């Protein structure tokens, strides 16, 4: 619904102040959790690992570079003159040939050699992730829970595309304890509301053993408990499974980073759950002694 979508948008955009006037004349206000704006991403050139062959063909035709070596150096990130020369030699192409004069067969050979060449990962200042602290503040503002934890993973790369995962977890309070957890998925601050079972985020949650963190879980299912889990992926190219942009493709690198993020939050949750259980047991013991004190005293 619109209300859920706006609430999730407010969580993923801690700096935003949203006022919603509904058709039935009800007003909902989502105040900002922080006055700090997210970092402004910087434009970068495409990394050779992250482009498709058709795009590569078009780049050869449209480039303003006059030689193949300058095309590889100037039109891509993380390709130096020495690496460009080595690629040309392995493809058996002259470094001074004009890119538009390369045939399709030669371009395919060149493309395959580039994919096999060891290149530096692309820069990550092109990302604008949600800071863990800001995401947690936003979650605390909207979710009636008793415990919160969050973390941000270092930037990583899949197929030459940089990305960064931020995760947060809310537990207890007024959250329902008998149902599956509530999972909130985001890509570049936009809520993903449909195709949950097809998403890399859902697969990562299911593949994690939540029994280690004090939650119940059946095989191949989401854990059960009073928990809300938030996962955000920031990337220059989010690999959606379809044109509807509702689920993230399960690349191994993405699955790995999501798991590491939720495991870190899970360890914090486990510590809280254990301390809560310990306090509850101590209260039960104290209550037991209080019930028997009169009997002991009279005897």
């Amino acid at each position: 619904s619109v209300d859920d979508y706006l609430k999730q948008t407010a969580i993923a955009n801690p700096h935003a102040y949203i006022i919603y006037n509904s058709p039935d004349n009800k007003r909902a206000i989502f105040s900002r959790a922080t006055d700090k704006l997210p970092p402004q991403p910087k434009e970068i050139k495409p990394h050779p690992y992250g482009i498709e062959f058709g795009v590569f063909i078009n780049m050869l035709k449209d480039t303003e570079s006059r030689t193949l070596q300058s095309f590889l150096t100037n039109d891509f990130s993380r390709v130096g003159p020495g690496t460009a020369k080595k690629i040309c030699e392995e493809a058996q192409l002259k470094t001074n040939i004009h890119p538009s004069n390369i045939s399709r067969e030669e371009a395919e050979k060149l493309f395959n050699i580039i994919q096999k060449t060891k290149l530096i990962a692309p820069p990550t200042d092109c990302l604008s992730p949600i800071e863990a602290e800001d995401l947690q503040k936003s979650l605390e503002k909207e979710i009636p829970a008793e415990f919160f934890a969050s973390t941000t993973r270092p930037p990583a790369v899949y197929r030459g595309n940089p990305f960064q995962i931020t995760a947060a977890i809310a537990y207890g309070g007024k959250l329902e304890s008998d149902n599956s957890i509530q999972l909130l998925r985001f890509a570049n601050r936009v809520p993903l509301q449909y195709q949950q079972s097809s998403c890399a985020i859902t697969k990562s949650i299911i593949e994690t053993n939540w029994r280690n963190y004090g939650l119940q879980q059946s095989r191949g299912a989401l854990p059960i408990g009073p928990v809300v889990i938030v996962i955000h992926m920031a990337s220059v190219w989010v690999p959606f499974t379809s044109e509807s942009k509702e689920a993230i493709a399960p690349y191994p690198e993405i699955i790995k980073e999501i798991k590491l993020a939720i495991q870190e939050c899970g360890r914090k949750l486990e510590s809280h759950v254990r301390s809560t259980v310990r306090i509850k047991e101590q209260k039960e013991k104290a209550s037991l002694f209080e019930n028997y004190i009169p009997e002991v005293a009279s005897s």
Side-chain angles (χ1 to χ4, degrees):
S1 68
V2 174
D3 301 83
D4 288 339
Y5 188 86
L6 286 176
K7 183 175 181 178
Q8 292 183 33
T9 301
I11 290 174
N13 295 270
H15 61 284
Y17 184 86
I18 301 172
I19 301 175
Y20 169 53
N21 295 316
S22 66
D24 55 358
N25 295 322
K26 291 183 180 179
R27 170 172 285 192
I29 298 178
F30 302 92
S31 58
R32 59 173 56 92
T34 177
D35 293 326
K36 182 176 65 175
L37 290 173
Q40 184 174 357
K42 296 181 180 179
E43 182 180 359
I44 66 168
K45 295 176 182 178
H47 192 276
Y49 289 165
I51 64 167
E52 298 174 348
F53 179 62
V55 176
F56 184 69
I57 291 290
N58 292 333
M59 291 180 67
L60 286 169
K61 294 179 181 178
D62 300 336
T63 183
E64 297 180 358
S65 300
R66 296 184 178 182
T67 67
L68 179 58
Q69 184 173 4
S70 62
F71 163 73
L72 294 172
T73 305
N74 299 329
D75 290 35
F76 293 100
S77 65
R78 303 306 202 192
V79 180
T83 304
K85 185 178 180 180
K86 180 182 177 182
I87 291 172
C88 294
E89 291 175 351
E90 292 188 16
Q92 297 179 349
L93 293 171
K94 295 181 179 179
T95 57
N96 59 355
I97 187 175
H98 197 282
S100 61
N101 294 333
I102 295 177
S103 66
R104 185 177 181 85
E105 291 75 17
E106 291 173 332
E108 185 174 2
K109 184 178 180 181
L110 179 65
F111 179 81
N112 292 332
I113 288 174
I114 290 175
Q115 304 308 309
K116 296 177 182 178
T117 303
K118 189 173 182 180
L119 301 172
I120 302 174
T124 56
D125 55 1
C126 56
L127 301 176
S128 182
I130 308 176
E131 297 295 334
E133 181 181 353
D134 293 336
L135 180 59
Q136 183 169 326
K137 287 180 180 178
S138 190
L139 203 59
E140 290 172 355
K141 178 173 63 71
E142 299 295 337
I143 304 298
E146 67 181 38
F147 171 79
F148 299 87
S150 59
T151 185
T152 298
R153 292 289 304 160
V157 177
Y158 83 95
R159 291 188 62 188
N161 298 304
F163 73 98
Q164 191 165 10
I165 299 295
T166 303
I169 192 168
Y171 174 83
K174 297 180 181 180
L175 299 176
E176 296 183 5
S177 59
D178 297 331
N179 298 324
S180 296
I181 63 160
Q182 184 181 356
L183 178 59
L184 304 182
R185 301 170 295 129
F186 299 96
N188 287 338
R189 301 177 184 272
V190 177
L192 308 180
Q193 292 192 301
Y194 304 102
Q195 300 183 24
Q196 177 172 295
S197 61
S198 303
C199 188
I201 294 175
T202 307
K203 294 180 185 297
S204 302
I205 300 292
I206 291 175
E207 292 175 7
T208 301
N209 187 1
W210 287 95
R211 296 187 192 89
N212 293 337
Y213 309 120
L215 299 181
Q216 299 177 11
Q217 184 183 22
S218 300
R219 183 184 296 273
L222 291 172
I224 297 174
V227 174
V228 175
I229 297 178
V230 180
I231 304 292
H232 175 258
M233 177 179 179
S235 179
V236 297
W237 186 277
V238 179
F240 292 111
T241 56
S242 65
E243 292 79 4
S244 63
K245 298 184 178 181
E246 291 292 349
I248 299 171
Y251 283 93
E253 299 89 343
I254 297 175
I255 294 281
K256 175 185 175 183
E257 288 299 314
I258 295 174
K259 283 185 176 181
L260 290 172
I262 58 181
Q263 285 168 2
E264 185 172 342
C265 290
R267 286 190 290 270
K268 297 176 182 178
L269 173 62
E270 178 197 15
S271 177
H272 171 76
V273 170
R274 284 189 174 182
S275 63
T276 302
V277 170
R278 189 164 55 248
I279 292 172
K280 182 180 178 181
E281 290 176 348
Q282 289 174 351
K283 287 183 177 179
E284 290 176 351
K285 287 181 180 179
S287 176
L288 190 64
F289 282 122
E290 288 172 358
N291 291 334
Y292 279 96
I293 281 175
E295 298 293 332
V296 174
S298 62
S299 63

